Amino acid sequence: MGETTTTKPTPEAIEALKKSIKRLNSRAGQQKMDLHDLAEGLPTNYQTLLEMAQKTYDIYFELDQLKKRLKTWEEL
């Protein structure tokens, strides 16, 4: 994810990245709702809290990286 480039990406590459962001954004929203549901039900299923929180963090981290890449690409 931390790739840097000095050449302008193709319009197709930019569109593909936008589609990836859209798909991941949808997954992130669902993961956020799942984490919220788990938190509301605590202490039931507390054993899965750390795993679900890490998964939520990972998705949002990846989404942030893709958005930063898109911004960089669009500025080239």
Coordinates of all heavy atoms in Angstrom, one line a residue:
M1 N 0.8 -1.2 0.0 CA 0.0 0.0 0.0 C 0.8 1.3 0.0 O 0.4 2.3 -0.4 CB -0.9 0.1 1.2 CG -1.9 -1.0 1.4 SD -3.4 -0.6 0.5 CE -4.0 -2.2 0.3
G2 N 2.1 1.2 0.5 CA 2.9 2.4 0.6 C 3.7 2.7 -0.6 O 4.7 3.3 -0.5
E3 N 3.2 2.3 -1.8 CA 4.0 2.5 -3.0 C 3.9 4.0 -3.4 O 3.0 4.7 -3.1 CB 3.4 1.7 -4.1 CG 2.0 2.0 -4.6 CD 1.5 1.1 -5.6 OE1 1.6 -0.1 -5.4 OE2 0.9 1.6 -6.6
T4 N 5.0 4.4 -3.9 CA 5.1 5.8 -4.5 C 5.4 5.7 -5.9 O 6.0 4.8 -6.4 CB 6.2 6.6 -3.8 OG1 7.4 5.9 -4.0 CG2 5.9 6.8 -2.3
T5 N 4.8 6.7 -6.6 CA 5.0 6.7 -8.1 C 5.2 8.1 -8.5 O 4.6 9.0 -8.0 CB 3.9 6.0 -8.8 OG1 4.1 6.0 -10.2 CG2 2.5 6.6 -8.5
T6 N 6.0 8.3 -9.6 CA 6.1 9.6 -10.1 C 5.5 9.7 -11.5 O 5.4 10.8 -12.1 CB 7.6 10.0 -10.3 OG1 8.3 9.0 -11.0 CG2 8.2 10.1 -8.9
T7 N 5.0 8.6 -12.1 CA 4.3 8.6 -13.3 C 2.8 8.7 -13.1 O 2.3 8.1 -12.2 CB 4.7 7.4 -14.2 OG1 4.3 6.2 -13.5 CG2 6.2 7.3 -14.5
K8 N 2.2 9.4 -14.0 CA 0.7 9.5 -13.8 C 0.0 8.2 -14.1 O 0.3 7.6 -15.2 CB 0.2 10.6 -14.7 CG -1.3 10.9 -14.6 CD -1.6 12.3 -15.2 CE -3.1 12.6 -15.0 NZ -3.5 12.9 -13.7
P9 N -0.8 7.7 -13.3 CA -1.6 6.5 -13.5 C -2.6 6.7 -14.6 O -3.0 7.8 -14.9 CB -2.2 6.2 -12.2 CG -2.3 7.4 -11.5 CD -1.1 8.3 -11.9
T10 N -2.9 5.6 -15.3 CA -3.9 5.7 -16.4 C -5.3 6.0 -15.8 O -5.6 5.7 -14.6 CB -4.0 4.4 -17.1 OG1 -4.5 3.4 -16.2 CG2 -2.6 4.0 -17.7
P11 N -6.2 6.6 -16.6 CA -7.6 6.8 -16.1 C -8.2 5.5 -15.7 O -9.0 5.5 -14.7 CB -8.3 7.4 -17.3 CG -7.2 8.0 -18.1 CD -6.0 7.2 -17.9
E12 N -7.9 4.4 -16.3 CA -8.4 3.1 -16.0 C -7.9 2.7 -14.6 O -8.7 2.1 -13.8 CB -8.0 2.0 -17.0 CG -8.6 2.2 -18.4 CD -7.9 3.2 -19.2 OE1 -6.8 3.6 -18.9 OE2 -8.5 3.6 -20.3
A13 N -6.7 3.0 -14.3 CA -6.1 2.6 -13.0 C -6.8 3.5 -11.9 O -7.1 2.9 -10.8 CB -4.6 2.8 -12.9
I14 N -7.1 4.7 -12.2 CA -7.7 5.6 -11.2 C -9.2 5.1 -11.0 O -9.6 5.0 -9.8 CB -7.7 7.0 -11.7 CG1 -6.3 7.6 -11.6 CG2 -8.7 7.9 -10.8 CD1 -6.1 9.0 -12.2
E15 N -9.9 4.7 -12.0 CA -11.2 4.2 -11.9 C -11.2 2.9 -11.1 O -12.1 2.7 -10.3 CB -11.9 4.0 -13.3 CG -12.4 5.3 -13.9 CD -13.3 6.1 -12.9 OE1 -14.3 5.6 -12.4 OE2 -13.0 7.3 -12.7
A16 N -10.3 2.0 -11.4 CA -10.2 0.8 -10.6 C -9.9 1.0 -9.1 O -10.5 0.3 -8.3 CB -9.1 -0.1 -11.2
L17 N -9.1 2.0 -8.8 CA -8.8 2.3 -7.4 C -10.1 2.9 -6.8 O -10.4 2.5 -5.6 CB -7.7 3.4 -7.3 CG -7.3 3.8 -5.9 CD1 -6.9 2.6 -5.1 CD2 -6.1 4.8 -6.0
K18 N -10.9 3.7 -7.5 CA -12.1 4.3 -7.0 C -13.1 3.1 -6.7 O -13.8 3.2 -5.7 CB -12.7 5.3 -8.0 CG -12.0 6.6 -8.0 CD -12.7 7.5 -9.0 CE -12.0 8.9 -9.0 NZ -12.6 9.8 -10.0
K19 N -13.2 2.1 -7.6 CA -14.0 1.0 -7.3 C -13.6 0.2 -6.1 O -14.4 -0.2 -5.3 CB -14.1 0.1 -8.6 CG -14.9 0.7 -9.7 CD -14.9 -0.3 -10.9 CE -15.6 0.4 -12.1 NZ -15.6 -0.5 -13.3
S20 N -12.3 0.0 -6.0 CA -11.8 -0.7 -4.8 C -12.2 0.1 -3.5 O -12.5 -0.5 -2.5 CB -10.3 -0.8 -4.9 OG -9.9 -1.7 -5.9
I21 N -12.0 1.4 -3.5 CA -12.4 2.2 -2.4 C -13.9 2.1 -2.1 O -14.3 1.9 -0.9 CB -12.0 3.7 -2.6 CG1 -10.5 3.8 -2.6 CG2 -12.7 4.6 -1.6 CD1 -10.0 5.2 -3.0
K22 N -14.7 2.1 -3.1 CA -16.1 2.0 -2.9 C -16.5 0.6 -2.3 O -17.3 0.6 -1.3 CB -16.9 2.1 -4.2 CG -18.4 2.2 -4.1 CD -19.0 2.5 -5.4 CE -20.5 2.6 -5.3 NZ -21.2 2.9 -6.5
R23 N -15.9 -0.5 -2.8 CA -16.2 -1.8 -2.2 C -15.7 -1.9 -0.8 O -16.4 -2.4 0.1 CB -15.5 -2.9 -3.1 CG -16.2 -3.2 -4.3 CD -15.7 -4.5 -5.0 NE -14.3 -4.4 -5.3 CZ -13.8 -3.9 -6.5 NH1 -14.6 -3.5 -7.4 NH2 -12.5 -3.9 -6.7
L24 N -14.5 -1.4 -0.5 CA -13.9 -1.5 0.8 C -14.7 -0.6 1.8 O -14.9 -0.9 2.9 CB -12.4 -1.1 0.8 CG -11.7 -1.3 2.1 CD1 -11.8 -2.8 2.5 CD2 -10.2 -0.9 2.0
N25 N -15.2 0.6 1.3 CA -16.0 1.4 2.1 C -17.3 0.7 2.6 O -17.7 0.9 3.7 CB -16.3 2.7 1.4 CG -16.8 3.8 2.3 OD1 -16.2 4.0 3.3 ND2 -17.8 4.6 1.9
S26 N -17.9 0.0 1.7 CA -19.1 -0.8 2.0 C -18.7 -1.8 3.1 O -19.5 -2.0 4.1 CB -19.6 -1.5 0.8 OG -20.7 -2.2 1.1
R27 N -17.6 -2.6 2.9 CA -17.2 -3.6 3.9 C -16.9 -2.9 5.2 O -17.3 -3.4 6.3 CB -16.0 -4.3 3.4 CG -16.3 -5.3 2.4 CD -15.0 -6.2 2.0 NE -14.2 -6.5 3.1 CZ -12.8 -6.5 3.1 NH1 -12.2 -6.2 1.9 NH2 -12.1 -6.9 4.1
A28 N -16.3 -1.7 5.2 CA -16.0 -1.0 6.4 C -17.2 -0.6 7.2 O -17.3 -0.7 8.4 CB -15.1 0.2 6.1
G29 N -18.2 -0.1 6.5 CA -19.5 0.2 7.1 C -20.1 -1.0 7.8 O -20.7 -0.8 8.9
Q30 N -20.1 -2.1 7.1 CA -20.7 -3.3 7.7 C -19.9 -3.8 8.9 O -20.5 -4.1 9.9 CB -20.8 -4.4 6.6 CG -21.4 -5.7 7.2 CD -22.8 -5.5 7.6 OE1 -23.6 -5.0 6.9 NE2 -23.2 -5.9 8.8
Q31 N -18.6 -3.7 8.8 CA -17.8 -4.1 9.9 C -18.0 -3.2 11.1 O -18.1 -3.6 12.3 CB -16.3 -4.1 9.5 CG -15.4 -4.6 10.6 CD -15.6 -6.1 10.9 OE1 -15.9 -6.8 10.0 NE2 -15.4 -6.4 12.1
K32 N -18.2 -1.9 10.9 CA -18.5 -0.9 11.9 C -19.8 -1.3 12.6 O -19.9 -1.2 13.9 CB -18.5 0.5 11.4 CG -18.8 1.6 12.4 CD -18.7 3.0 11.8 CE -19.8 3.2 10.9 NZ -19.9 4.6 10.5
M33 N -20.8 -1.6 11.8 CA -22.1 -2.0 12.4 C -22.0 -3.3 13.2 O -22.6 -3.4 14.3 CB -23.1 -2.1 11.3 CG -23.5 -0.7 10.7 SD -24.9 -0.7 9.6 CE -24.8 -2.2 8.6
D34 N -21.2 -4.2 12.7 CA -21.0 -5.5 13.5 C -20.3 -5.2 14.8 O -20.7 -5.8 15.8 CB -20.2 -6.5 12.6 CG -21.0 -7.0 11.4 OD1 -22.2 -6.8 11.3 OD2 -20.3 -7.6 10.5
L35 N -19.3 -4.4 14.8 CA -18.6 -4.0 16.0 C -19.6 -3.3 17.0 O -19.6 -3.6 18.2 CB -17.4 -3.2 15.7 CG -16.5 -2.8 16.9 CD1 -16.0 -4.0 17.7 CD2 -15.4 -1.8 16.5
H36 N -20.4 -2.4 16.5 CA -21.3 -1.7 17.3 C -22.3 -2.7 17.9 O -22.6 -2.6 19.1 CB -22.1 -0.7 16.4 CG -23.1 0.1 17.2 ND1 -24.4 -0.3 17.2 CD2 -23.0 1.2 18.0 CE1 -25.1 0.6 17.9 NE2 -24.3 1.5 18.4
D37 N -22.8 -3.6 17.1 CA -23.8 -4.6 17.7 C -23.1 -5.4 18.8 O -23.8 -5.7 19.8 CB -24.3 -5.5 16.6 CG -25.2 -4.8 15.6 OD1 -25.6 -3.7 15.9 OD2 -25.4 -5.4 14.5
L38 N -21.9 -5.8 18.5 CA -21.2 -6.6 19.6 C -21.0 -5.8 20.8 O -21.3 -6.3 21.9 CB -19.8 -7.0 19.1 CG -18.9 -7.8 20.1 CD1 -19.5 -9.1 20.5 CD2 -17.5 -8.0 19.5
A39 N -20.7 -4.5 20.7 CA -20.5 -3.6 21.9 C -21.8 -3.4 22.6 O -21.8 -3.4 23.9 CB -19.9 -2.3 21.4
E40 N -22.9 -3.3 21.9 CA -24.2 -3.2 22.6 C -24.6 -4.4 23.4 O -25.3 -4.3 24.4 CB -25.3 -2.8 21.6 CG -25.3 -1.4 21.1 CD -26.5 -1.1 20.3 OE1 -27.1 -2.0 19.7 OE2 -26.8 0.1 20.3
G41 N -24.1 -5.6 22.9 CA -24.5 -6.8 23.6 C -23.5 -7.2 24.7 O -23.7 -8.3 25.3
L42 N -22.5 -6.4 25.0 CA -21.6 -6.8 26.0 C -22.3 -7.0 27.3 O -23.2 -6.2 27.6 CB -20.4 -5.8 26.1 CG -19.5 -5.8 24.9 CD1 -18.5 -4.6 25.1 CD2 -18.7 -7.1 24.9
P43 N -21.9 -7.9 28.2 CA -20.7 -8.7 28.1 C -20.8 -10.0 27.3 O -19.9 -10.7 27.2 CB -20.5 -9.1 29.6 CG -21.8 -9.1 30.2 CD -22.6 -8.1 29.4
T44 N -22.0 -10.2 26.7 CA -22.1 -11.4 25.8 C -21.1 -11.4 24.7 O -20.9 -10.3 24.1 CB -23.6 -11.5 25.2 OG1 -24.5 -11.5 26.3 CG2 -23.8 -12.7 24.4
N45 N -20.5 -12.5 24.4 CA -19.5 -12.6 23.3 C -18.3 -11.7 23.5 O -17.6 -11.3 22.5 CB -20.1 -12.4 22.0 CG -21.1 -13.5 21.6 OD1 -20.9 -14.6 22.0 ND2 -22.2 -13.2 20.9
Y46 N -18.0 -11.3 24.7 CA -16.8 -10.4 24.9 C -15.5 -11.0 24.4 O -14.6 -10.3 24.0 CB -16.6 -10.0 26.3 CG -16.1 -11.1 27.2 CD1 -14.7 -11.2 27.4 CD2 -16.9 -12.0 27.8 CE1 -14.2 -12.2 28.1 CE2 -16.4 -13.1 28.6 CZ -15.0 -13.2 28.7 OH -14.5 -14.2 29.5
Q47 N -15.5 -12.3 24.3 CA -14.3 -13.0 23.8 C -13.9 -12.6 22.4 O -12.7 -12.7 22.0 CB -14.5 -14.6 23.9 CG -14.8 -15.1 25.3 CD -16.3 -15.2 25.5 OE1 -17.1 -14.5 24.9 NE2 -16.7 -16.0 26.5
T48 N -14.9 -12.2 21.6 CA -14.6 -11.9 20.2 C -14.3 -10.4 20.0 O -14.0 -10.0 18.9 CB -15.8 -12.3 19.3 OG1 -16.9 -11.6 19.7 CG2 -16.0 -13.8 19.4
L49 N -14.4 -9.6 21.1 CA -14.2 -8.2 20.9 C -12.9 -7.7 20.4 O -12.8 -6.9 19.4 CB -14.4 -7.5 22.3 CG -14.4 -6.0 22.3 CD1 -15.4 -5.4 21.4 CD2 -14.5 -5.5 23.8
L50 N -11.8 -8.3 20.9 CA -10.5 -7.8 20.4 C -10.3 -8.2 18.9 O -9.8 -7.4 18.1 CB -9.4 -8.4 21.2 CG -9.2 -7.9 22.6 CD1 -8.1 -8.6 23.4 CD2 -9.0 -6.4 22.6
E51 N -10.7 -9.4 18.5 CA -10.6 -9.8 17.1 C -11.4 -8.9 16.2 O -10.9 -8.5 15.2 CB -11.0 -11.3 17.0 CG -10.9 -11.8 15.6 CD -11.4 -13.2 15.5 OE1 -11.5 -13.9 16.5 OE2 -11.8 -13.6 14.3
M52 N -12.6 -8.6 16.6 CA -13.5 -7.8 15.8 C -13.0 -6.4 15.7 O -13.0 -5.7 14.7 CB -14.9 -7.8 16.3 CG -15.9 -7.1 15.3 SD -17.6 -7.4 15.7 CE -17.8 -9.1 15.2
A53 N -12.5 -5.9 16.8 CA -11.9 -4.5 16.8 C -10.7 -4.4 15.9 O -10.5 -3.5 15.2 CB -11.6 -4.1 18.3
Q54 N -9.8 -5.5 15.9 CA -8.6 -5.5 15.1 C -9.0 -5.5 13.6 O -8.5 -4.8 12.8 CB -7.7 -6.6 15.4 CG -6.4 -6.7 14.6 CD -5.6 -5.5 14.9 OE1 -5.2 -5.2 16.0 NE2 -5.2 -4.7 13.9
K55 N -10.0 -6.3 13.3 CA -10.5 -6.4 11.9 C -11.1 -5.1 11.5 O -10.8 -4.7 10.3 CB -11.6 -7.5 11.8 CG -12.0 -7.8 10.4 CD -13.0 -9.0 10.4 CE -13.4 -9.3 9.0 NZ -14.4 -10.4 8.9
T56 N -11.8 -4.4 12.3 CA -12.4 -3.1 12.0 C -11.3 -2.1 11.8 O -11.3 -1.4 10.8 CB -13.3 -2.6 13.1 OG1 -14.3 -3.6 13.3 CG2 -14.0 -1.3 12.8
Y57 N -10.3 -2.1 12.6 CA -9.1 -1.2 12.5 C -8.4 -1.5 11.1 O -8.1 -0.5 10.4 CB -8.1 -1.4 13.6 CG -6.9 -0.6 13.5 CD1 -6.8 0.7 13.9 CD2 -5.8 -1.2 12.8 CE1 -5.6 1.4 13.7 CE2 -4.6 -0.5 12.6 CZ -4.5 0.8 13.1 OH -3.4 1.5 12.9
D58 N -8.2 -2.8 10.8 CA -7.4 -3.1 9.6 C -8.2 -2.6 8.4 O -7.6 -2.1 7.4 CB -7.2 -4.6 9.5 CG -6.3 -5.1 10.6 OD1 -5.5 -4.3 11.2 OD2 -6.3 -6.4 10.8
I59 N -9.5 -2.8 8.3 CA -10.3 -2.3 7.2 C -10.2 -0.8 7.0 O -10.0 -0.3 5.9 CB -11.7 -2.8 7.3 CG1 -11.8 -4.3 7.1 CG2 -12.6 -2.1 6.3 CD1 -13.2 -4.9 7.3
Y60 N -10.3 -0.1 8.1 CA -10.3 1.4 8.1 C -8.9 1.9 7.7 O -8.7 2.9 7.0 CB -10.9 2.0 9.3 CG -12.4 2.1 9.3 CD1 -13.2 1.1 9.8 CD2 -13.0 3.2 8.6 CE1 -14.6 1.2 9.7 CE2 -14.4 3.2 8.5 CZ -15.1 2.2 9.1 OH -16.5 2.3 8.9
F61 N -7.9 1.2 8.2 CA -6.5 1.5 7.9 C -6.3 1.4 6.4 O -5.7 2.3 5.7 CB -5.5 0.7 8.7 CG -4.1 1.0 8.3 CD1 -3.4 2.1 8.9 CD2 -3.4 0.2 7.4 CE1 -2.1 2.4 8.6 CE2 -2.0 0.6 7.1 CZ -1.4 1.6 7.7
E62 N -6.7 0.2 5.8 CA -6.5 0.0 4.4 C -7.3 1.0 3.6 O -6.8 1.6 2.6 CB -7.0 -1.4 4.0 CG -6.8 -1.7 2.6 CD -7.2 -3.2 2.2 OE1 -7.6 -3.9 3.1 OE2 -7.2 -3.5 1.0
L63 N -8.5 1.4 4.0 CA -9.3 2.4 3.3 C -8.6 3.7 3.3 O -8.6 4.4 2.3 CB -10.7 2.5 4.0 CG -11.7 3.4 3.4 CD1 -12.0 2.9 1.9 CD2 -13.0 3.4 4.2
D64 N -8.1 4.1 4.4 CA -7.3 5.4 4.5 C -6.2 5.4 3.6 O -5.9 6.4 2.9 CB -6.9 5.6 6.0 CG -6.2 6.9 6.2 OD1 -6.7 7.9 5.8 OD2 -5.0 6.9 6.7
Q65 N -5.4 4.3 3.5 CA -4.3 4.2 2.6 C -4.7 4.3 1.1 O -4.1 5.0 0.3 CB -3.5 2.9 2.8 CG -2.9 2.7 4.2 CD -2.0 3.8 4.5 OE1 -1.0 4.1 3.8 NE2 -2.2 4.5 5.6
L66 N -5.8 3.7 0.8 CA -6.3 3.7 -0.6 C -6.8 5.2 -1.0 O -6.5 5.7 -2.1 CB -7.4 2.8 -0.9 CG -7.1 1.3 -0.8 CD1 -8.3 0.4 -1.0 CD2 -6.0 0.9 -1.9
K67 N -7.4 5.8 0.0 CA -7.9 7.2 -0.3 C -6.7 8.1 -0.4 O -6.7 9.0 -1.3 CB -8.8 7.7 0.9 CG -10.1 7.0 0.8 CD -11.0 7.5 2.0 CE -12.4 7.0 1.9 NZ -13.2 7.4 3.1
K68 N -5.6 7.9 0.4 CA -4.4 8.7 0.2 C -3.8 8.5 -1.1 O -3.3 9.5 -1.8 CB -3.4 8.4 1.4 CG -3.9 9.0 2.7 CD -2.9 8.6 3.8 CE -3.4 9.2 5.1 NZ -2.5 8.7 6.2
R69 N -3.7 7.3 -1.6 CA -3.2 7.0 -2.9 C -4.0 7.6 -4.0 O -3.4 8.2 -4.9 CB -3.1 5.4 -3.1 CG -2.5 5.1 -4.5 CD -2.5 3.6 -4.8 NE -2.0 2.8 -3.7 CZ -2.1 1.5 -3.6 NH1 -2.8 0.9 -4.5 NH2 -1.6 0.9 -2.6
L70 N -5.3 7.6 -3.9 CA -6.2 8.2 -4.9 C -5.9 9.7 -4.9 O -5.8 10.3 -6.0 CB -7.6 7.9 -4.6 CG -8.6 8.6 -5.5 CD1 -8.4 8.1 -7.0 CD2 -10.1 8.3 -5.1
K71 N -5.8 10.3 -3.8 CA -5.5 11.8 -3.7 C -4.2 12.1 -4.4 O -4.1 13.0 -5.2 CB -5.5 12.3 -2.3 CG -5.4 13.7 -2.2 CD -5.4 14.2 -0.8 CE -5.2 15.7 -0.8 NZ -5.1 16.3 0.5
T72 N -3.2 11.3 -4.1 CA -1.9 11.5 -4.7 C -2.0 11.3 -6.2 O -1.4 12.1 -7.0 CB -0.9 10.5 -4.1 OG1 -0.7 10.7 -2.7 CG2 0.5 10.7 -4.8
W73 N -2.6 10.3 -6.7 CA -2.8 10.0 -8.1 C -3.5 11.2 -8.8 O -3.1 11.5 -9.9 CB -3.5 8.7 -8.4 CG -2.7 7.5 -8.2 CD1 -1.4 7.4 -7.6 CD2 -3.0 6.2 -8.5 NE1 -1.0 6.1 -7.6 CE2 -1.9 5.3 -8.1 CE3 -4.2 5.6 -9.0 CZ2 -2.0 3.9 -8.3 CZ3 -4.2 4.2 -9.1 CH2 -3.1 3.4 -8.8
E74 N -4.5 11.7 -8.2 CA -5.3 12.7 -8.8 C -4.5 14.0 -8.9 O -4.8 14.9 -9.7 CB -6.6 12.9 -8.1 CG -7.6 11.8 -8.3 CD -8.9 11.9 -7.6 OE1 -8.9 12.5 -6.5 OE2 -9.9 11.3 -8.0
E75 N -3.5 14.2 -8.0 CA -2.7 15.4 -8.0 C -1.6 15.4 -9.0 O -1.0 16.4 -9.3 CB -2.2 15.7 -6.6 CG -3.3 16.1 -5.6 CD -2.8 16.2 -4.2 OE1 -1.6 15.8 -3.9 OE2 -3.6 16.7 -3.3
L76 N -1.3 14.2 -9.6 CA -0.2 14.1 -10.5 C -0.5 14.7 -11.8 O -1.6 14.8 -12.3 CB 0.2 12.6 -10.7 CG 0.8 11.9 -9.5 CD1 1.1 10.4 -9.9 CD2 2.2 12.6 -9.2

